[in-house]
PDB file of all heavy atoms in Angstrom:
ATOM      1  N   VAL I   4       0.858  -1.178   0.000  1.00  0.00           N
ATOM      2  CA  VAL I   4       0.000   0.000   0.000  1.00  0.00           C
ATOM      3  C   VAL I   4       0.896   1.230   0.000  1.00  0.00           C
ATOM      4  O   VAL I   4       1.805   1.335   0.805  1.00  0.00           O
ATOM      5  CB  VAL I   4      -0.913   0.015   1.247  1.00  0.00           C
ATOM      6  CG1 VAL I   4      -1.738   1.271   1.280  1.00  0.00           C
ATOM      7  CG2 VAL I   4      -1.782  -1.222   1.273  1.00  0.00           C
ATOM      8  N   THR I   5       0.659   2.128  -0.931  1.00  0.00           N
ATOM      9  CA  THR I   5       1.404   3.383  -0.940  1.00  0.00           C
ATOM     10  C   THR I   5       0.458   4.500  -0.538  1.00  0.00           C
ATOM     11  O   THR I   5      -0.716   4.491  -0.881  1.00  0.00           O
ATOM     12  CB  THR I   5       1.989   3.682  -2.329  1.00  0.00           C
ATOM     13  OG1 THR I   5       0.934   3.700  -3.270  1.00  0.00           O
ATOM     14  CG2 THR I   5       3.015   2.636  -2.723  1.00  0.00           C
ATOM     15  N   PHE I   6       0.966   5.433   0.203  1.00  0.00           N
ATOM     16  CA  PHE I   6       0.172   6.555   0.666  1.00  0.00           C
ATOM     17  C   PHE I   6       0.609   7.792  -0.091  1.00  0.00           C
ATOM     18  O   PHE I   6       1.799   8.047  -0.224  1.00  0.00           O
ATOM     19  CB  PHE I   6       0.368   6.768   2.172  1.00  0.00           C
ATOM     20  CG  PHE I   6      -0.133   5.623   2.985  1.00  0.00           C
ATOM     21  CD1 PHE I   6       0.689   4.561   3.303  1.00  0.00           C
ATOM     22  CD2 PHE I   6      -1.445   5.588   3.421  1.00  0.00           C
ATOM     23  CE1 PHE I   6       0.217   3.493   4.046  1.00  0.00           C
ATOM     24  CE2 PHE I   6      -1.924   4.516   4.159  1.00  0.00           C
ATOM     25  CZ  PHE I   6      -1.087   3.472   4.472  1.00  0.00           C
ATOM     26  N   PRO I   7      -0.335   8.588  -0.593  1.00  0.00           N
ATOM     27  CA  PRO I   7       0.049   9.788  -1.334  1.00  0.00           C
ATOM     28  C   PRO I   7       0.650  10.824  -0.398  1.00  0.00           C
ATOM     29  O   PRO I   7       0.265  10.939   0.749  1.00  0.00           O
ATOM     30  CB  PRO I   7      -1.281  10.277  -1.914  1.00  0.00           C
ATOM     31  CG  PRO I   7      -2.326   9.691  -1.032  1.00  0.00           C
ATOM     32  CD  PRO I   7      -1.765   8.420  -0.475  1.00  0.00           C
ATOM     33  N   GLY I   8       1.625  11.551  -0.907  1.00  0.00           N
ATOM     34  CA  GLY I   8       2.224  12.628  -0.119  1.00  0.00           C
ATOM     35  C   GLY I   8       3.112  12.095   0.982  1.00  0.00           C
ATOM     36  O   GLY I   8       3.376  10.905   1.079  1.00  0.00           O
ATOM     37  N   PRO I   9       3.589  12.991   1.839  1.00  0.00           N
ATOM     38  CA  PRO I   9       4.466  12.550   2.927  1.00  0.00           C
ATOM     39  C   PRO I   9       3.716  11.638   3.892  1.00  0.00           C
ATOM     40  O   PRO I   9       2.546  11.846   4.185  1.00  0.00           O
ATOM     41  CB  PRO I   9       4.865  13.850   3.621  1.00  0.00           C
ATOM     42  CG  PRO I   9       4.274  14.955   2.848  1.00  0.00           C
ATOM     43  CD  PRO I   9       3.357  14.398   1.821  1.00  0.00           C
ATOM     44  N   ARG I  10       4.407  10.647   4.374  1.00  0.00           N
ATOM     45  CA  ARG I  10       3.794   9.722   5.325  1.00  0.00           C
ATOM     46  C   ARG I  10       3.796  10.352   6.717  1.00  0.00           C
ATOM     47  O   ARG I  10       4.753  10.985   7.126  1.00  0.00           O
ATOM     48  CB  ARG I  10       4.556   8.409   5.377  1.00  0.00           C
ATOM     49  CG  ARG I  10       4.424   7.617   4.123  1.00  0.00           C
ATOM     50  CD  ARG I  10       5.163   6.317   4.258  1.00  0.00           C
ATOM     51  NE  ARG I  10       5.103   5.629   2.985  1.00  0.00           N
ATOM     52  CZ  ARG I  10       5.038   4.331   2.879  1.00  0.00           C
ATOM     53  NH1 ARG I  10       5.035   3.583   3.929  1.00  0.00           N
ATOM     54  NH2 ARG I  10       4.994   3.769   1.705  1.00  0.00           N
ATOM     55  N   THR I  11       2.718  10.112   7.423  1.00  0.00           N
ATOM     56  CA  THR I  11       2.676  10.555   8.806  1.00  0.00           C
ATOM     57  C   THR I  11       3.267   9.455   9.667  1.00  0.00           C
ATOM     58  O   THR I  11       3.545   8.353   9.198  1.00  0.00           O
ATOM     59  CB  THR I  11       1.222  10.832   9.232  1.00  0.00           C
ATOM     60  OG1 THR I  11       0.503   9.612   9.138  1.00  0.00           O
ATOM     61  CG2 THR I  11       0.583  11.892   8.359  1.00  0.00           C
ATOM     62  N   LEU I  12       3.428   9.724  10.927  1.00  0.00           N
ATOM     63  CA  LEU I  12       3.981   8.712  11.816  1.00  0.00           C
ATOM     64  C   LEU I  12       3.050   7.522  11.980  1.00  0.00           C
ATOM     65  O   LEU I  12       3.491   6.413  12.210  1.00  0.00           O
ATOM     66  CB  LEU I  12       4.286   9.316  13.187  1.00  0.00           C
ATOM     67  CG  LEU I  12       5.439  10.307  13.201  1.00  0.00           C
ATOM     68  CD1 LEU I  12       5.601  10.901  14.593  1.00  0.00           C
ATOM     69  CD2 LEU I  12       6.728   9.638  12.763  1.00  0.00           C
ATOM     70  N   THR I  13       1.745   7.743  11.856  1.00  0.00           N
ATOM     71  CA  THR I  13       0.783   6.652  11.999  1.00  0.00           C
ATOM     72  C   THR I  13      -0.179   6.656  10.810  1.00  0.00           C
ATOM     73  O   THR I  13      -1.319   7.072  10.932  1.00  0.00           O
ATOM     74  CB  THR I  13      -0.009   6.774  13.315  1.00  0.00           C
ATOM     75  OG1 THR I  13      -0.627   8.055  13.326  1.00  0.00           O
ATOM     76  CG2 THR I  13       0.885   6.600  14.518  1.00  0.00           C
ATOM     77  N   PRO I  14       0.288   6.219   9.612  1.00  0.00           N
ATOM     78  CA  PRO I  14      -0.607   6.218   8.454  1.00  0.00           C
ATOM     79  C   PRO I  14      -1.756   5.252   8.678  1.00  0.00           C
ATOM     80  O   PRO I  14      -1.611   4.232   9.332  1.00  0.00           O
ATOM     81  CB  PRO I  14       0.298   5.766   7.307  1.00  0.00           C
ATOM     82  CG  PRO I  14       1.388   5.004   7.960  1.00  0.00           C
ATOM     83  CD  PRO I  14       1.585   5.614   9.320  1.00  0.00           C
ATOM     84  N   ARG I  15      -2.882   5.601   8.135  1.00  0.00           N
ATOM     85  CA  ARG I  15      -4.065   4.756   8.232  1.00  0.00           C
ATOM     86  C   ARG I  15      -3.917   3.587   7.276  1.00  0.00           C
ATOM     87  O   ARG I  15      -3.614   3.770   6.107  1.00  0.00           O
ATOM     88  CB  ARG I  15      -5.296   5.577   7.876  1.00  0.00           C
ATOM     89  CG  ARG I  15      -6.562   4.826   8.129  1.00  0.00           C
ATOM     90  CD  ARG I  15      -7.723   5.764   8.007  1.00  0.00           C
ATOM     91  NE  ARG I  15      -8.931   4.991   8.220  1.00  0.00           N
ATOM     92  CZ  ARG I  15     -10.121   5.468   8.028  1.00  0.00           C
ATOM     93  NH1 ARG I  15     -10.290   6.697   7.627  1.00  0.00           N
ATOM     94  NH2 ARG I  15     -11.176   4.718   8.233  1.00  0.00           N
ATOM     95  N   ARG I  16      -4.111   2.384   7.784  1.00  0.00           N
ATOM     96  CA  ARG I  16      -4.010   1.187   6.943  1.00  0.00           C
ATOM     97  C   ARG I  16      -5.205   1.098   6.019  1.00  0.00           C
ATOM     98  O   ARG I  16      -6.311   1.471   6.379  1.00  0.00           O
ATOM     99  CB  ARG I  16      -3.956  -0.063   7.808  1.00  0.00           C
ATOM    100  CG  ARG I  16      -2.636  -0.260   8.487  1.00  0.00           C
ATOM    101  CD  ARG I  16      -2.625  -1.575   9.252  1.00  0.00           C
ATOM    102  NE  ARG I  16      -3.126  -2.664   8.451  1.00  0.00           N
ATOM    103  CZ  ARG I  16      -2.371  -3.567   7.847  1.00  0.00           C
ATOM    104  NH1 ARG I  16      -1.089  -3.496   7.924  1.00  0.00           N
ATOM    105  NH2 ARG I  16      -2.925  -4.554   7.164  1.00  0.00           N
ATOM    106  N   SER I  17      -4.959   0.568   4.845  1.00  0.00           N
ATOM    107  CA  SER I  17      -6.057   0.349   3.905  1.00  0.00           C
ATOM    108  C   SER I  17      -6.888  -0.824   4.378  1.00  0.00           C
ATOM    109  O   SER I  17      -6.346  -1.855   4.775  1.00  0.00           O
ATOM    110  CB  SER I  17      -5.500   0.045   2.521  1.00  0.00           C
ATOM    111  OG  SER I  17      -4.840   1.167   2.007  1.00  0.00           O
ATOM    112  N   PRO I  18      -8.217  -0.691   4.331  1.00  0.00           N
ATOM    113  CA  PRO I  18      -9.056  -1.840   4.673  1.00  0.00           C
ATOM    114  C   PRO I  18      -8.754  -3.002   3.739  1.00  0.00           C
ATOM    115  O   PRO I  18      -8.650  -2.827   2.524  1.00  0.00           O
ATOM    116  CB  PRO I  18     -10.476  -1.314   4.462  1.00  0.00           C
ATOM    117  CG  PRO I  18     -10.352   0.170   4.551  1.00  0.00           C
ATOM    118  CD  PRO I  18      -8.995   0.494   4.017  1.00  0.00           C
ATOM    119  N   THR I  19      -8.603  -4.185   4.317  1.00  0.00           N
ATOM    120  CA  THR I  19      -8.251  -5.383   3.560  1.00  0.00           C
ATOM    121  C   THR I  19      -9.091  -6.547   4.057  1.00  0.00           C
ATOM    122  O   THR I  19      -9.335  -6.672   5.255  1.00  0.00           O
ATOM    123  CB  THR I  19      -6.754  -5.720   3.753  1.00  0.00           C
ATOM    124  OG1 THR I  19      -5.977  -4.603   3.346  1.00  0.00           O
ATOM    125  CG2 THR I  19      -6.350  -6.936   2.963  1.00  0.00           C
ATOM    126  N   ALA I  20      -9.525  -7.382   3.149  1.00  0.00           N
ATOM    127  CA  ALA I  20     -10.256  -8.595   3.514  1.00  0.00           C
ATOM    128  C   ALA I  20      -9.787  -9.732   2.622  1.00  0.00           C
ATOM    129  O   ALA I  20      -9.542  -9.526   1.436  1.00  0.00           O
ATOM    130  CB  ALA I  20     -11.755  -8.368   3.359  1.00  0.00           C
ATOM    131  N   ARG I  21      -9.673 -10.923   3.210  1.00  0.00           N
ATOM    132  CA  ARG I  21      -9.261 -12.109   2.460  1.00  0.00           C
ATOM    133  C   ARG I  21     -10.168 -13.279   2.819  1.00  0.00           C
ATOM    134  O   ARG I  21     -10.486 -13.473   3.993  1.00  0.00           O
ATOM    135  CB  ARG I  21      -7.828 -12.485   2.789  1.00  0.00           C
ATOM    136  CG  ARG I  21      -6.848 -11.438   2.396  1.00  0.00           C
ATOM    137  CD  ARG I  21      -5.486 -11.757   2.971  1.00  0.00           C
ATOM    138  NE  ARG I  21      -4.703 -10.541   2.938  1.00  0.00           N
ATOM    139  CZ  ARG I  21      -3.502 -10.458   2.418  1.00  0.00           C
ATOM    140  NH1 ARG I  21      -2.929 -11.511   1.929  1.00  0.00           N
ATOM    141  NH2 ARG I  21      -2.869  -9.321   2.415  1.00  0.00           N
ATOM    142  N   PHE I  22     -10.552 -14.030   1.807  1.00  0.00           N
ATOM    143  CA  PHE I  22     -11.431 -15.180   1.988  1.00  0.00           C
ATOM    144  C   PHE I  22     -10.909 -16.313   1.110  1.00  0.00           C
ATOM    145  O   PHE I  22     -10.505 -16.079  -0.021  1.00  0.00           O
ATOM    146  CB  PHE I  22     -12.869 -14.857   1.563  1.00  0.00           C
ATOM    147  CG  PHE I  22     -13.417 -13.639   2.233  1.00  0.00           C
ATOM    148  CD1 PHE I  22     -13.314 -12.398   1.632  1.00  0.00           C
ATOM    149  CD2 PHE I  22     -14.014 -13.725   3.487  1.00  0.00           C
ATOM    150  CE1 PHE I  22     -13.809 -11.264   2.247  1.00  0.00           C
ATOM    151  CE2 PHE I  22     -14.505 -12.597   4.112  1.00  0.00           C
ATOM    152  CZ  PHE I  22     -14.408 -11.366   3.492  1.00  0.00           C
ATOM    153  N   THR I  23     -10.950 -17.531   1.628  1.00  0.00           N
ATOM    154  CA  THR I  23     -10.554 -18.701   0.853  1.00  0.00           C
ATOM    155  C   THR I  23     -11.638 -19.760   0.982  1.00  0.00           C
ATOM    156  O   THR I  23     -12.114 -20.035   2.088  1.00  0.00           O
ATOM    157  CB  THR I  23      -9.206 -19.258   1.339  1.00  0.00           C
ATOM    158  OG1 THR I  23      -8.203 -18.252   1.165  1.00  0.00           O
ATOM    159  CG2 THR I  23      -8.799 -20.500   0.557  1.00  0.00           C
ATOM    160  N   LEU I  24     -12.021 -20.306  -0.153  1.00  0.00           N
ATOM    161  CA  LEU I  24     -13.037 -21.357  -0.225  1.00  0.00           C
ATOM    162  C   LEU I  24     -12.563 -22.450  -1.166  1.00  0.00           C
ATOM    163  O   LEU I  24     -11.676 -22.214  -1.998  1.00  0.00           O
ATOM    164  CB  LEU I  24     -14.351 -20.786  -0.775  1.00  0.00           C
ATOM    165  CG  LEU I  24     -15.060 -19.717   0.030  1.00  0.00           C
ATOM    166  CD1 LEU I  24     -16.206 -19.135  -0.791  1.00  0.00           C
ATOM    167  CD2 LEU I  24     -15.577 -20.284   1.324  1.00  0.00           C
ATOM    168  N   PRO I  25     -13.152 -23.631  -1.084  1.00  0.00           N
ATOM    169  CA  PRO I  25     -12.850 -24.641  -2.103  1.00  0.00           C
ATOM    170  C   PRO I  25     -13.220 -24.098  -3.487  1.00  0.00           C
ATOM    171  O   PRO I  25     -14.202 -23.371  -3.627  1.00  0.00           O
ATOM    172  CB  PRO I  25     -13.745 -25.821  -1.717  1.00  0.00           C
ATOM    173  CG  PRO I  25     -14.027 -25.630  -0.266  1.00  0.00           C
ATOM    174  CD  PRO I  25     -14.069 -24.134  -0.062  1.00  0.00           C
ATOM    175  N   ALA I  26     -12.431 -24.441  -4.473  1.00  0.00           N
ATOM    176  CA  ALA I  26     -12.667 -23.953  -5.840  1.00  0.00           C
ATOM    177  C   ALA I  26     -13.785 -24.775  -6.473  1.00  0.00           C
ATOM    178  O   ALA I  26     -13.544 -25.725  -7.209  1.00  0.00           O
ATOM    179  CB  ALA I  26     -11.391 -24.030  -6.669  1.00  0.00           C
ATOM    180  N   GLN I  27     -15.006 -24.377  -6.159  1.00  0.00           N
ATOM    181  CA  GLN I  27     -16.185 -25.052  -6.688  1.00  0.00           C
ATOM    182  C   GLN I  27     -17.114 -24.003  -7.272  1.00  0.00           C
ATOM    183  O   GLN I  27     -17.346 -22.957  -6.664  1.00  0.00           O
ATOM    184  CB  GLN I  27     -16.914 -25.809  -5.574  1.00  0.00           C
ATOM    185  CG  GLN I  27     -16.078 -26.890  -4.943  1.00  0.00           C
ATOM    186  CD  GLN I  27     -16.752 -27.478  -3.715  1.00  0.00           C
ATOM    187  OE1 GLN I  27     -17.888 -27.144  -3.382  1.00  0.00           O
ATOM    188  NE2 GLN I  27     -16.042 -28.365  -3.038  1.00  0.00           N
ATOM    189  N   GLU I  28     -17.650 -24.308  -8.448  1.00  0.00           N
ATOM    190  CA  GLU I  28     -18.553 -23.359  -9.108  1.00  0.00           C
ATOM    191  C   GLU I  28     -19.734 -22.983  -8.217  1.00  0.00           C
ATOM    192  O   GLU I  28     -20.197 -21.847  -8.246  1.00  0.00           O
ATOM    193  CB  GLU I  28     -19.050 -23.936 -10.432  1.00  0.00           C
ATOM    194  CG  GLU I  28     -17.964 -23.988 -11.496  1.00  0.00           C
ATOM    195  CD  GLU I  28     -18.486 -24.554 -12.794  1.00  0.00           C
ATOM    196  OE1 GLU I  28     -19.259 -23.849 -13.471  1.00  0.00           O
ATOM    197  OE2 GLU I  28     -18.116 -25.698 -13.118  1.00  0.00           O
ATOM    198  N   ALA I  29     -20.201 -23.907  -7.395  1.00  0.00           N
ATOM    199  CA  ALA I  29     -21.345 -23.635  -6.521  1.00  0.00           C
ATOM    200  C   ALA I  29     -21.032 -22.578  -5.464  1.00  0.00           C
ATOM    201  O   ALA I  29     -21.944 -21.991  -4.892  1.00  0.00           O
ATOM    202  CB  ALA I  29     -21.794 -24.926  -5.842  1.00  0.00           C
ATOM    203  N   LEU I  30     -19.751 -22.299  -5.206  1.00  0.00           N
ATOM    204  CA  LEU I  30     -19.369 -21.332  -4.171  1.00  0.00           C
ATOM    205  C   LEU I  30     -19.047 -19.949  -4.726  1.00  0.00           C
ATOM    206  O   LEU I  30     -18.764 -19.028  -3.965  1.00  0.00           O
ATOM    207  CB  LEU I  30     -18.186 -21.876  -3.370  1.00  0.00           C
ATOM    208  CG  LEU I  30     -18.495 -23.143  -2.575  1.00  0.00           C
ATOM    209  CD1 LEU I  30     -17.242 -23.664  -1.885  1.00  0.00           C
ATOM    210  CD2 LEU I  30     -19.603 -22.899  -1.568  1.00  0.00           C
ATOM    211  N   VAL I  31     -19.086 -19.775  -6.035  1.00  0.00           N
ATOM    212  CA  VAL I  31     -18.809 -18.470  -6.643  1.00  0.00           C
ATOM    213  C   VAL I  31     -19.822 -17.440  -6.148  1.00  0.00           C
ATOM    214  O   VAL I  31     -19.467 -16.313  -5.796  1.00  0.00           O
ATOM    215  CB  VAL I  31     -18.803 -18.572  -8.179  1.00  0.00           C
ATOM    216  CG1 VAL I  31     -18.751 -17.196  -8.828  1.00  0.00           C
ATOM    217  CG2 VAL I  31     -17.625 -19.432  -8.637  1.00  0.00           C
ATOM    218  N   GLY I  32     -21.065 -17.808  -6.083  1.00  0.00           N
ATOM    219  CA  GLY I  32     -22.104 -16.902  -5.596  1.00  0.00           C
ATOM    220  C   GLY I  32     -21.854 -16.472  -4.158  1.00  0.00           C
ATOM    221  O   GLY I  32     -22.145 -15.334  -3.774  1.00  0.00           O
ATOM    222  N   CYS I  33     -21.297 -17.364  -3.364  1.00  0.00           N
ATOM    223  CA  CYS I  33     -20.959 -17.041  -1.981  1.00  0.00           C
ATOM    224  C   CYS I  33     -19.908 -15.930  -1.936  1.00  0.00           C
ATOM    225  O   CYS I  33     -20.034 -14.969  -1.164  1.00  0.00           O
ATOM    226  CB  CYS I  33     -20.451 -18.298  -1.281  1.00  0.00           C
ATOM    227  SG  CYS I  33     -20.083 -18.079   0.463  1.00  0.00           S
ATOM    228  N   LEU I  34     -18.875 -16.031  -2.765  1.00  0.00           N
ATOM    229  CA  LEU I  34     -17.856 -14.969  -2.817  1.00  0.00           C
ATOM    230  C   LEU I  34     -18.459 -13.653  -3.294  1.00  0.00           C
ATOM    231  O   LEU I  34     -18.107 -12.586  -2.788  1.00  0.00           O
ATOM    232  CB  LEU I  34     -16.697 -15.375  -3.717  1.00  0.00           C
ATOM    233  CG  LEU I  34     -15.630 -16.258  -3.090  1.00  0.00           C
ATOM    234  CD1 LEU I  34     -14.508 -16.539  -4.086  1.00  0.00           C
ATOM    235  CD2 LEU I  34     -15.070 -15.667  -1.818  1.00  0.00           C
ATOM    236  N   ARG I  35     -19.377 -13.713  -4.252  1.00  0.00           N
ATOM    237  CA  ARG I  35     -20.040 -12.486  -4.716  1.00  0.00           C
ATOM    238  C   ARG I  35     -20.821 -11.831  -3.582  1.00  0.00           C
ATOM    239  O   ARG I  35     -20.763 -10.617  -3.390  1.00  0.00           O
ATOM    240  CB  ARG I  35     -20.974 -12.774  -5.895  1.00  0.00           C
ATOM    241  CG  ARG I  35     -20.273 -12.926  -7.220  1.00  0.00           C
ATOM    242  CD  ARG I  35     -21.247 -12.872  -8.392  1.00  0.00           C
ATOM    243  NE  ARG I  35     -22.360 -13.782  -8.246  1.00  0.00           N
ATOM    244  CZ  ARG I  35     -22.446 -14.972  -8.824  1.00  0.00           C
ATOM    245  NH1 ARG I  35     -21.494 -15.399  -9.611  1.00  0.00           N
ATOM    246  NH2 ARG I  35     -23.499 -15.741  -8.634  1.00  0.00           N
ATOM    247  N   ARG I  36     -21.584 -12.639  -2.832  1.00  0.00           N
ATOM    248  CA  ARG I  36     -22.379 -12.083  -1.727  1.00  0.00           C
ATOM    249  C   ARG I  36     -21.484 -11.515  -0.627  1.00  0.00           C
ATOM    250  O   ARG I  36     -21.773 -10.450  -0.066  1.00  0.00           O
ATOM    251  CB  ARG I  36     -23.315 -13.155  -1.161  1.00  0.00           C
ATOM    252  CG  ARG I  36     -24.497 -13.440  -2.072  1.00  0.00           C
ATOM    253  CD  ARG I  36     -25.503 -14.384  -1.434  1.00  0.00           C
ATOM    254  NE  ARG I  36     -24.965 -15.705  -1.139  1.00  0.00           N
ATOM    255  CZ  ARG I  36     -24.844 -16.688  -2.035  1.00  0.00           C
ATOM    256  NH1 ARG I  36     -25.212 -16.491  -3.289  1.00  0.00           N
ATOM    257  NH2 ARG I  36     -24.362 -17.855  -1.677  1.00  0.00           N
ATOM    258  N   ILE I  37     -20.400 -12.199  -0.301  1.00  0.00           N
ATOM    259  CA  ILE I  37     -19.452 -11.704   0.701  1.00  0.00           C
ATOM    260  C   ILE I  37     -18.900 -10.358   0.254  1.00  0.00           C
ATOM    261  O   ILE I  37     -18.841  -9.402   1.031  1.00  0.00           O
ATOM    262  CB  ILE I  37     -18.306 -12.721   0.922  1.00  0.00           C
ATOM    263  CG1 ILE I  37     -18.817 -13.960   1.660  1.00  0.00           C
ATOM    264  CG2 ILE I  37     -17.148 -12.085   1.664  1.00  0.00           C
ATOM    265  CD1 ILE I  37     -17.831 -15.109   1.682  1.00  0.00           C
ATOM    266  N   ALA I  38     -18.482 -10.278  -1.011  1.00  0.00           N
ATOM    267  CA  ALA I  38     -17.916  -9.029  -1.533  1.00  0.00           C
ATOM    268  C   ALA I  38     -18.955  -7.912  -1.513  1.00  0.00           C
ATOM    269  O   ALA I  38     -18.656  -6.788  -1.096  1.00  0.00           O
ATOM    270  CB  ALA I  38     -17.379  -9.239  -2.951  1.00  0.00           C
TER     271      ALA I  38
END
């Protein structure tokens, strides 16, 4: 993550989310709903 301009001493972290599921076509909709 890069922050524009000079960095402050305590830059705000970018919101991040990670999810892992079995690679099954039936679970694609689940990832869409989560997102």
Side-chain angles (χ1 to χ4, degrees):
V4 177
T5 57
F6 295 90
R10 291 182 185 214
T11 62
L12 291 177
T13 56
R15 188 169 178 188
R16 286 184 48 102
S17 294
T19 303
R21 297 170 198 232
F22 306 93
T23 299
L24 297 171
Q27 298 172 5
E28 289 180 72
L30 296 176
V31 170
C33 183
L34 277 182
R35 281 194 309 261
R36 286 187 298 279
I37 289 169

